[in-house]
């Protein structure tokens, strides 16, 4: 398992490139699973960089990442107690808010569900951002190097927020993170490959491509399921200076096969296993 992480980080190039101030976009196209990329970045941050990590989990739970981490050789619960890992789970926060409201007991200073007003959605975004900001600052007390991971930003749309609200959150986040030059931002966005003009998930992901330094895409095969591989992995470094310094290709395509215990990556057209 550990060798899989090392291989993924090497293929991405993040084991060579100074990622301070950089943004990684993981575009998870429908029918594929990019969770192995998030786990590789998380493991690299904790074990190789000794950085702090702030997890914003809208899709997978903290328990999921804890169980995966135990296989990688680190204990997220212990790291959370130490302050190296902080967690925001927006869906759990909202569920608790709804329960409190149902029971007529809610602290208005802590809820992220606002009163019903025309500015309600913006209020949700601001309160979500406040939660993330506080947890990020907690992580920054452990280390000046903080990796902020969001899984999955497009679940904001499931909360009823629009593209404008989601991008407002990202703008707030980028402005805040910019004050921490040793920070790194990693955003996973699941998309459905619909019409780019009408699919909100596609629009969010394509907007993020303009601000990301590294774009990584997982996608299924157009021809359907394969027993030898899970899908295609495309790595796109957008910075000429980084590509020149580290001799990285602008765009590289691999095949990957992920399972519960490992990830195997293949060069296209050959069956030699890279990991």
């Amino acid at each position: 398992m550990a060798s899989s992480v090392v291989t993924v980080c090497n293929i991405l190039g993040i084991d060579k490139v100074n990622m301070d101030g950089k943004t990684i976009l993981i575009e998870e196209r429908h029918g594929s699973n990019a969770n192995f990329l998030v786990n590789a970045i998380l493991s690299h941050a904790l074990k190789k960089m000794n950085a702090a990590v702030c997890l914003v989990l809208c899709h997978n739970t903290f328990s999921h990442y804890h169980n995966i981490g135990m296989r990688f050789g680190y204990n997220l619960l212990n790291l959370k107690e130490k302050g190296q890992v902080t967690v925001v789970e927006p869906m759990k926060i909202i569920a608790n808010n709804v329960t409190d409201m149902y029971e007529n007991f809610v602290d208005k200073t802590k809820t992220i569900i606002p009163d019903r007003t025309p500015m309600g959605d913006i209020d949700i975004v601001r309160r979500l951002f406040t939660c993330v900001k506080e947890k990020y600052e907690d992580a920054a007390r452990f280390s000046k190097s903080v990796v902020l991971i969001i899984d999955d930003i497009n679940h904001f749309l499931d909360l009823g927020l629009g593209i404008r609200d989601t991008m407002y959150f990202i703008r707030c986040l980028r402005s805040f993170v910019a004050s921490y030059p040793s920070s790194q931002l990693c955003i996973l966005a699941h998309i459905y490959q619909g019409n780019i003009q009408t699919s909100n998930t596609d629009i969010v992901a394509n907007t993020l491509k303009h601000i990301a330094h590294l774009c990584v895409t997982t996608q299924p095969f157009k021809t359907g399921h394969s027993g030898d591989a899970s899908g295609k992995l495309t790595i796109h470094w957008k910075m000429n200076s980084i590509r020149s310094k580290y001799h990285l290709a602008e765009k590289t395509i691999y095949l990957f096969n992920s399972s519960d215990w490992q990830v195997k990556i293949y060069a296209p057209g050959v069956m030699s296993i890279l990991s």
Side-chain angles (χ1 to χ4, degrees), residues 81-97:
E81 291 176 0
K82 288 171 53 180
Q84 186 173 359
V85 173
T86 60
V87 184
V88 181
E89 295 187 88
M91 300 305 177
K92 282 190 175 182
I93 294 173
I94 290 174
N96 290 336
N97 288 172

Side-chain angles (χ1 to χ4, degrees), residues 10-255:
N10 180 260
I11 287 174
L12 294 180
I14 62 174
D15 60 340
K16 299 181 286 289
V17 178
N18 182 349
M19 297 301 292
D20 289 353
K22 304 295 191 301
T23 297
I24 301 173
L25 168 64
I26 299 175
E27 182 185 55
E28 181 186 71
R29 297 188 181 180
H30 193 61
S32 67
N33 188 337
N35 196 236
F36 71 93
L37 294 170
V38 177
N39 286 315
I41 292 169
L42 174 59
S43 177
H44 179 71
L46 295 173
K47 300 180 72 175
K48 299 298 182 181
M49 298 170 56
N50 197 33
V53 175
C54 178
L55 294 170
V56 182
L57 305 179
C58 302
H59 185 72
N60 291 303
T61 64
F62 177 76
S63 296
H64 167 84
Y65 283 106
H66 171 71
N67 292 336
I68 296 294
M70 294 297 287
R71 299 177 186 174
F72 283 130
Y74 57 84
N75 187 315
L76 279 184
L77 281 174
N78 290 345
L79 296 176
K80 184 180 177 183
E81 291 176 0
K82 288 171 53 180
Q84 186 173 359
V85 173
T86 60
V87 184
V88 181
E89 295 187 88
M91 300 305 177
K92 282 190 175 182
I93 294 173
I94 290 174
N96 290 336
N97 288 172
V98 171
T99 300
D100 289 343
M101 288 178 176
Y102 178 77
E103 296 176 352
N104 295 319
F105 176 77
V106 60
D107 185 345
K108 290 292 185 181
T109 64
K110 295 183 179 180
T111 181
I112 65 172
I113 300 179
D115 295 327
R116 296 186 62 85
T117 67
M119 293 298 291
D121 288 349
I122 290 296
D123 285 343
I124 291 176
V125 171
R126 288 172 179 162
R127 296 177 193 193
L128 278 172
F129 170 69
T130 298
C131 292
V132 175
K133 176 176 177 290
E134 291 173 351
K135 291 298 184 179
Y136 184 98
E137 290 172 340
D138 289 343
R141 295 188 184 97
F142 182 90
S143 171
K144 67 177 183 178
S145 178
V146 179
V147 179
L148 175 58
I149 299 174
I150 302 178
D151 170 25
D152 145 24
I153 190 68
N154 274 331
H155 275 304
F156 278 38
L157 303 173
D158 296 330
L159 296 175
L161 302 178
I163 297 174
R164 182 195 64 175
D165 307 311
T166 303
M167 297 313 301
Y168 176 73
F169 174 84
I170 293 171
R171 287 199 302 272
C172 291
L173 199 61
R174 289 187 70 214
S175 297
F176 169 71
V177 171
S179 62
Y180 292 86
S182 297
S183 64
Q184 178 187 152
L185 179 61
C186 174
I187 302 176
L188 184 146
H190 186 93
I191 69 168
Y192 291 91
Q193 295 179 265
N195 186 328
I196 189 174
Q197 303 298 325
T198 59
S199 172
N200 288 349
T201 59
D202 289 58
I203 293 172
V204 170
N206 279 283
T207 303
L208 286 169
K209 288 180 182 178
H210 292 287
I211 66 175
H213 301 88
L214 171 61
C215 298
V216 189
T217 302
T218 60
Q219 63 187 99
F221 297 115
K222 292 182 180 180
T223 55
H225 176 75
S226 168
D228 297 321
S230 304
K232 291 170 57 179
L233 173 68
T234 304
I235 301 167
H236 181 195
W237 274 101
K238 299 180 61 181
M239 297 184 66
N240 291 331
S241 58
I242 289 179
R243 292 201 304 269
S244 176
K245 180 177 180 180
Y246 295 99
H247 307 290
L248 299 170
E250 179 178 0
K251 185 175 291 187
T252 311
I253 297 176
Y254 296 95
L255 305 181

